[in-house]
Amino acid sequence: MNIPFVDLKAQYQSIKADIDGAIANVISETAFIKGKYVEKFDADFAKWLGVKHSIGCANGTDAIEIVLQALGVGKGDEVIVPARTWISTSEAVTTVGAKVVFVDVDPHLYTIDVKKIEEKITPRTKAIIPVHFHGLPAEMDEIMAIAKKHNLFVIEDTAQGHGAKYKGKLTGTFGNAATYSFFPGKNLGAYGDAGGMVMNDDALATKCRMIADHGRLGKHDHGLEGRNSRLDGMHAAILSAKLPYLDSWTKARQKNAGLYNEALKSLDIQVPAVPSHSEHVFHLYVVQVNNREEVQKKLQEKGVATGIHYPIALPFLKAYDYLGHKPSDFQVAHAQMSRILSLPMYSELTAEQINYVAKVLGESL
Ligand SMILES: *Cc1c(COP(=O)(O)O)cnc(C)c1O
């Protein structure tokens, strides 16, 4: 058997008519930049999430930068970020001129360790960016309480958490704003780079919308200098065509995670922990194993593609050498680096494929 890590083609084939129709409409109406398909997706996504504003932009990294900028976070400010996430989360902080302050992650949940946030707060701290990592909500009650106590903004990086719920409430609806990536491999993906920002605050929404579109007030009237970070009409139409399927795709991911849990339960590996108050959307299904390199190689030989998300925790990247961090500063993040392994995970995986992965994994330990 050959099992790819993700299979974007299988999803396309299952909704081919919807997608082909959506793309054809955009082309025949030449609705490439702004216009009705972008407005429609913004409205569709805001409705799906139950927020007042959704603003499409070019990608999930820009989304974080624009929200930080719109909130006035910049030079002289510090922003708290988990030690393990994709680099966009911290990169955006530096891009707006603020300082990245890493906090270690929870050994079981992989999200920011809420017990270690307050010791990193200084008078310069302006915001926390929790990440719903792998698709599991960060512990939002504790995060919101800390933010309230210290008067900090909360921006939820929901690039991996579309539709995840914490205590029955959708991720992306807790903070001052939340950001999304619609990168092709994300749980809701366009056919190229795309992203979005969501919030309930009208003034913040106006500012974000302006920054993402050259600071525009009108066609040739600019209230400020922004940038060009718009969601393309083509991607918007594709995303609107896909959105009605998102909840069923999420259920399929959750079912597949359950099948993995069952098939792996007798093995000496750590499967994803899900607190009873959370709904994980399994953007990634990450396990921990001993001898990871060897296990990964054996799986590859048997036709099972896996991934490592991500091999180097952020504080230990060359990019952050200047912060001078040591492994002992982020012990959990450091320990996870050599043990984590992402197994194939997508809605279209079959029980047969999952059982094959589990069997081969058992033989590889
Ligand atoms: C994918 C991702 C992003 C950035 O998204 P892009 O659309 O690729 O810029 C940000 N944060 C996290 C956690 C991600 O996984």
Side-chain angles (χ1 to χ4, degrees):
M1 243 196 253
N2 240 315
I3 305 175
F5 183 66
V6 285
D7 189 350
L8 299 181
K9 202 161 172 185
Q11 187 196 65
Y12 168 61
Q13 274 156 352
S14 73
I15 53 164
K16 189 172 181 308
D18 298 354
I19 297 288
D20 292 355
I23 293 173
N25 288 342
V26 174
I27 297 173
S28 69
E29 294 165 36
T30 65
F32 304 124
I33 305 291
K34 308 223 279 188
K36 79 177 195 201
Y37 294 104
V38 176
E39 281 164 27
K40 180 171 179 351
F41 179 66
D42 282 352
D44 290 348
F45 197 67
K47 182 164 177 233
W48 173 78
L49 195 58
V51 294
K52 219 164 151 192
H53 305 282
S54 171
I55 303 157
C57 64
N59 57 70
T61 311
D62 281 9
I64 307 169
E65 286 175 25
I66 293 168
V67 168
L68 283 168
Q69 206 183 330
L71 289 169
V73 177
K75 207 163 178 303
D77 298 333
E78 294 177 1
V79 177
I80 288 177
V81 169
R84 291 195 60 244
T85 164
W86 174 241
I87 193 170
S88 302
T89 321
S90 50
E91 204 173 32
V93 172
T94 311
T95 306
V96 301
K99 184 183 171 203
V100 177
V101 176
F102 291 116
V103 169
D104 209 353
V105 293
D106 184 281
H108 304 289
L109 307 180
Y110 300 97
T111 51
I112 193 165
D113 188 337
V114 292
K115 297 184 298 301
K116 296 179 181 164
I117 294 176
E118 280 195 290
E119 65 198 54
K120 297 286 180 92
I121 292 175
T122 75
R124 291 168 179 258
T125 310
K126 284 282 152 56
I128 307 176
I129 312 184
V131 179
H132 305 304
F133 202 37
H134 304 167
L136 179 69
E139 293 299 292
M140 293 312 297
D141 276 357
E142 287 82 353
I143 291 166
M144 295 310 292
I146 292 167
K148 190 164 178 220
K149 181 172 160 199
H150 298 274
N151 197 24
L152 309 176
F153 296 123
V154 174
I155 302 153
E156 300 172 67
D157 180 344
T158 318
Q160 301 190 3
H162 314 67
K165 283 183 186 162
Y166 176 82
K167 300 193 177 170
K169 187 168 145 70
L170 281 163
T171 51
T173 63
F174 289 84
N176 298 83
T179 61
Y180 285 84
S181 168
F182 305 116
F183 176 84
K186 298 288 159 83
N187 287 23
L188 179 63
Y191 289 163
D193 281 308
M197 314 169 262
V198 302
M199 66 286 292
N200 286 315
D201 185 309
D202 297 337
L204 181 63
T206 301
K207 193 108 188 255
C208 290
R209 199 176 282 288
M210 284 174 74
I211 294 171
D213 186 25
H214 299 293
R216 269 190 171 126
L217 292 167
K219 189 167 165 64
H220 292 296
D221 190 7
H222 304 263
L224 49 85
E225 286 183 328
R227 61 165 86 186
N228 180 353
S229 181
R230 296 178 299 233
L231 175 66
D232 291 329
M234 190 85 80
H235 294 313
I238 290 165
L239 290 167
S240 280
K242 283 187 169 194
L243 186 59
Y245 298 98
L246 179 58
D247 293 335
S248 67
W249 288 334
T250 298
K251 285 201 182 78
R253 284 176 183 271
Q254 290 164 336
K255 175 168 168 266
N256 292 341
L259 293 173
Y260 268 129
N261 289 344
E262 185 60 30
L264 299 174
K265 76 177 177 208
S266 60
L267 303 179
D268 179 26
I269 62 174
Q270 184 178 329
V271 300
V274 186
S276 59
H277 56 250
S278 286
E279 267 183 49
H280 197 315
V281 295
F282 295 100
H283 171 59
L284 295 168
Y285 185 90
V286 176
V287 298
Q288 288 191 43
V289 293
N290 301 319
N291 306 322
R292 199 259 322 278
E293 309 309 325
E294 213 181 303
V295 171
Q296 189 176 33
K297 193 164 148 266
K298 284 187 189 160
L299 284 165
Q300 186 66 54
E301 283 163 10
K302 294 277 171 60
V304 177
T306 55
I308 301 169
H309 301 87
Y310 301 95
I312 306 175
L314 299 178
F316 312 120
L317 288 170
K318 199 167 165 42
Y320 296 106
D321 267 357
Y322 70 93
L323 291 172
H325 291 307
K326 307 180 294 301
S328 57
D329 297 336
F330 303 95
Q331 282 178 16
V332 175
H334 193 266
Q336 288 177 350
M337 280 164 52
S338 61
R339 296 179 49 81
I340 46 169
L341 184 68
S342 307
L343 303 183
M345 172 51 82
Y346 38 94
S347 311
E348 298 78 10
L349 266 180
T350 63
E352 196 192 357
Q353 288 174 311
I354 290 167
N355 288 330
Y356 178 76
V357 174
K359 177 174 146 293
V360 175
L361 182 55
E363 292 162 1
S364 309
L365 293 177

